[in-house]
Amino acid sequence: MKKALFIAGLCMVVPVLLMAAEPEEKNSTLPEFGNWETFTTKNGLPANKVYCVRADGDRVWIGTSHGLVLYENDEFKTFTEEDGLAHPGVLAIDVSELTGDVWIGTLGGLNRYSGGQFETFTQFNSGLANDVIYSVICDGKDVWCATGGGAGHYDTYQEEWAIYTERNAPMHEPWTYSVCAGDNKVWIAAWGGGVIEWQKENQTFRDYVDPDGEMEIDLFPDDGVVHDITTAVSFDNGILWVATYFGMSRYDGTHWKGYFDHDSGLASNFINFLRAVDDVVYLCTDKGLSSFNSEEWVSYQKTDQGGRRLYWKDGNASTKEDPTGIAHSFTIGMDIQGDDTIWVATSYGLSRGHRIN
């Protein structure tokens, strides 16, 4: 099974590699975005394949297949290996609220960008678990990474690393995809192992796996995480959201609930990334960007004419065409900037949308 999961993972992971309009009538209680702009190499990006995006006040950090990009004052500035970047493929970015340092996860190591200088962590010069960094977060003084060889925890005060794999944590594989923190806990999306919860207070782990153990279907609805192959986790307002390549799960600390493209407004079960912002979760799928507030859905897709919004609530669906849309429907990352701007990383360009309700 491990070998099959590893091969399936490679097949799924590797490929992962306009105009103003008048405000319109409010359509849902969810924030809605429109007036989309697209940024590509024609606008200054080093590549059109954009893996991640992170808002940092007035600045925006962007991870592409050919470097790290800073968007500031309407200009793009690219950082490469010549500047100290560990690898041109940038998969994850976070900014420390304590120090303002930018932590960058790449395909060849972890960078800390501080005071205009890059510091590189690899498995050969530090306690980093593996050089392929899928996710990085700052949690106070601590930095957590999800890597191809386990989860890593770095105490920036003590300058010490801890590594968690199947040898010392309830994981089926050392391969981890995502990490998030909140409520004095850390959650890790572990390939084939569901979600691993690290409880800071007592320094112990517990895991959440698919209770039915079925790889093809969710046999018993709402009995736990919908699938053991998890791709992203995010926590806000007491809710843990879990993405898989087979649907999404919501956990309120007591009950699990699953969502799929055939019984909800989720654009696709193939979810690359998700981020919770207050009560809303944003999901990046291979068929568009979805948003959900536990009651209703709004999804965004690119069309030949521009874009499309898809609404779903209580089984009722409707569609609205827009003159602008996201750059590509294969979405990989996103972030919210301020109260009214959304950034979306796609397989062909970066999108910026503006709130319209």
Side-chain angles (χ1 to χ4, degrees), residues 2 4 10 20 42 46 48 54 78 89 92 133 217 234 245 253 259 262 266 273 282 306 337 349 353 355:
K2 291 182 177 180
L10 286 177
K42 296 179 180 178
N48 289 325
R54 193 64 166 139
T78 298
I133 315 294
I217 61 172
S234 187
Y245 287 142
Y259 300 89
H262 64 269
L266 181 61
F273 176 84
Y282 297 87
Q337 184 178 30
R355 186 155 180 184

Coordinates of all heavy atoms in Angstrom, one line a residue, residues 2 4 10 20 42 46 48 54 78 89 92 133 217 234 245 253 259 262 266 273 282 306 337 349 353 355:
K2 N 2.0 1.2 0.8 CA 2.9 2.4 0.9 C 3.4 2.7 -0.5 O 3.5 3.9 -0.9 CB 4.0 2.1 1.9 CG 3.5 2.1 3.3 CD 4.7 1.9 4.2 CE 4.2 1.9 5.7 NZ 5.3 1.7 6.6
A4 N 2.1 1.9 -3.4 CA 1.1 2.5 -4.3 C 0.8 3.9 -4.0 O 0.6 4.7 -4.9 CB -0.2 1.6 -4.1
L10 N 3.2 10.9 -6.5 CA 4.1 11.5 -7.5 C 3.2 12.0 -8.7 O 3.4 13.1 -9.2 CB 5.2 10.6 -7.9 CG 6.3 10.3 -6.9 CD1 7.2 9.3 -7.5 CD2 7.0 11.6 -6.7
A20 N -12.2 47.0 -14.7 CA -13.1 47.4 -13.6 C -14.5 47.3 -14.0 O -14.9 47.4 -15.1 CB -12.8 48.9 -13.2
K42 N 4.4 38.6 -18.7 CA 4.3 39.9 -19.4 C 4.2 41.1 -18.5 O 4.5 42.2 -18.9 CB 3.0 39.9 -20.3 CG 3.0 38.8 -21.4 CD 1.7 38.9 -22.2 CE 1.8 37.8 -23.3 NZ 0.5 37.8 -24.1
P46 N 8.6 36.0 -13.0 CA 9.6 35.2 -13.7 C 9.1 34.0 -14.3 O 9.8 33.4 -15.1 CB 10.6 34.9 -12.5 CG 9.7 34.9 -11.3 CD 8.7 36.0 -11.6
N48 N 5.1 31.7 -15.3 CA 3.6 31.7 -15.2 C 3.1 30.7 -14.2 O 1.9 30.7 -13.8 CB 3.0 31.5 -16.6 CG 3.2 32.7 -17.5 OD1 3.2 33.9 -17.0 ND2 3.4 32.5 -18.7
R54 N 1.4 35.0 -0.4 CA 1.2 35.3 1.0 C 1.2 36.9 1.1 O 2.1 37.5 0.7 CB 2.3 34.8 1.8 CG 2.0 34.8 3.3 CD 0.8 34.0 3.7 NE 0.7 33.7 5.1 CZ -0.4 33.7 5.8 NH1 -1.6 34.0 5.2 NH2 -0.4 33.5 7.1
T78 N 12.1 40.0 -8.3 CA 12.3 38.6 -8.2 C 13.7 38.3 -7.5 O 14.7 39.0 -7.7 CB 12.4 38.0 -9.6 OG1 11.1 38.2 -10.3 CG2 12.7 36.5 -9.6
G89 N 12.2 26.8 -7.2 CA 10.8 26.4 -7.0 C 10.4 26.7 -5.6 O 10.8 26.1 -4.6
A92 N 6.0 27.4 -0.6 CA 5.3 27.9 0.6 C 6.0 29.1 1.1 O 7.2 29.2 1.1 CB 5.2 26.7 1.6
I133 N 10.1 21.2 0.8 CA 9.2 21.9 1.8 C 7.9 22.2 1.1 O 7.8 23.1 0.3 CB 9.9 23.2 2.3 CG1 11.3 23.0 2.6 CG2 9.1 23.7 3.5 CD1 11.6 22.1 3.7
I217 N -14.0 5.2 -1.9 CA -15.2 5.9 -1.5 C -15.2 6.2 0.0 O -14.5 5.6 0.8 CB -16.5 5.0 -1.8 CG1 -16.4 3.7 -1.0 CG2 -16.6 4.7 -3.3 CD1 -17.7 2.9 -1.1
S234 N -6.1 23.7 7.7 CA -6.2 25.1 8.2 C -7.2 25.2 9.3 O -8.2 24.5 9.3 CB -6.6 26.0 7.0 OG -6.5 27.4 7.3
Y245 N -7.4 14.8 -1.8 CA -7.7 14.7 -3.3 C -9.1 14.0 -3.5 O -9.4 13.7 -4.7 CB -6.6 13.9 -4.0 CG -5.3 14.7 -4.1 CD1 -4.1 14.1 -3.9 CD2 -5.3 16.1 -4.4 CE1 -2.9 14.8 -4.0 CE2 -4.1 16.8 -4.5 CZ -2.9 16.1 -4.3 OH -1.7 16.8 -4.5
G253 N -14.2 19.9 16.6 CA -13.7 19.4 17.8 C -14.6 18.3 18.4 O -14.1 17.6 19.3
Y259 N -17.5 16.9 2.7 CA -18.1 17.6 1.5 C -17.5 17.1 0.2 O -16.2 17.0 0.2 CB -17.9 19.1 1.7 CG -18.5 19.7 2.9 CD1 -17.8 19.8 4.1 CD2 -19.8 20.2 2.9 CE1 -18.3 20.3 5.3 CE2 -20.4 20.8 4.1 CZ -19.6 20.8 5.3 OH -20.2 21.3 6.4
H262 N -20.2 16.3 -5.6 CA -21.5 15.8 -6.1 C -22.6 16.1 -5.1 O -23.8 16.0 -5.4 CB -21.5 14.3 -6.3 CG -21.2 13.5 -5.1 ND1 -20.0 13.1 -4.7 CD2 -22.1 13.0 -4.1 CE1 -20.1 12.4 -3.5 NE2 -21.3 12.3 -3.2
L266 N -18.7 22.4 -3.8 CA -17.2 22.3 -4.0 C -16.9 22.1 -5.5 O -17.6 21.2 -6.1 CB -16.7 21.1 -3.2 CG -15.3 20.7 -3.3 CD1 -14.4 21.9 -2.7 CD2 -15.0 19.5 -2.5
F273 N -5.1 22.9 -2.0 CA -4.7 23.8 -0.9 C -6.0 24.4 -0.3 O -7.0 24.5 -1.0 CB -3.8 25.0 -1.4 CG -3.5 26.0 -0.4 CD1 -2.4 25.8 0.4 CD2 -4.2 27.2 -0.3 CE1 -2.1 26.8 1.4 CE2 -3.9 28.2 0.6 CZ -2.8 28.0 1.4
Y282 N -11.4 28.9 2.0 CA -11.2 29.0 0.5 C -10.4 27.8 0.1 O -9.4 27.4 0.7 CB -10.3 30.3 0.2 CG -11.1 31.6 0.6 CD1 -11.0 32.1 1.9 CD2 -11.9 32.2 -0.3 CE1 -11.6 33.2 2.3 CE2 -12.5 33.4 0.0 CZ -12.4 33.9 1.3 OH -13.1 35.0 1.7
G306 N -14.3 35.2 -19.9 CA -13.8 35.9 -18.7 C -13.8 35.0 -17.5 O -12.9 34.2 -17.3
Q337 N -5.9 39.8 1.3 CA -5.1 41.0 1.7 C -6.1 42.1 2.2 O -6.9 42.5 1.4 CB -4.3 41.5 0.5 CG -3.3 42.7 0.9 CD -2.5 43.1 -0.3 OE1 -2.9 43.0 -1.4 NE2 -1.3 43.6 0.0
G349 N -0.4 31.8 -14.1 CA -0.6 33.2 -13.8 C -1.1 33.4 -12.4 O -1.6 32.5 -11.7
G353 N -8.3 39.7 -7.2 CA -9.7 40.0 -7.3 C -10.1 41.0 -6.2 O -9.4 41.1 -5.2
R355 N -13.2 42.7 -3.8 CA -14.5 42.4 -3.2 C -15.6 43.3 -3.8 O -15.4 44.5 -4.0 CB -14.5 42.6 -1.7 CG -15.8 42.2 -1.0 CD -15.6 41.8 0.4 NE -16.9 41.4 0.9 CZ -17.1 41.0 2.2 NH1 -16.1 41.1 3.0 NH2 -18.3 40.6 2.6

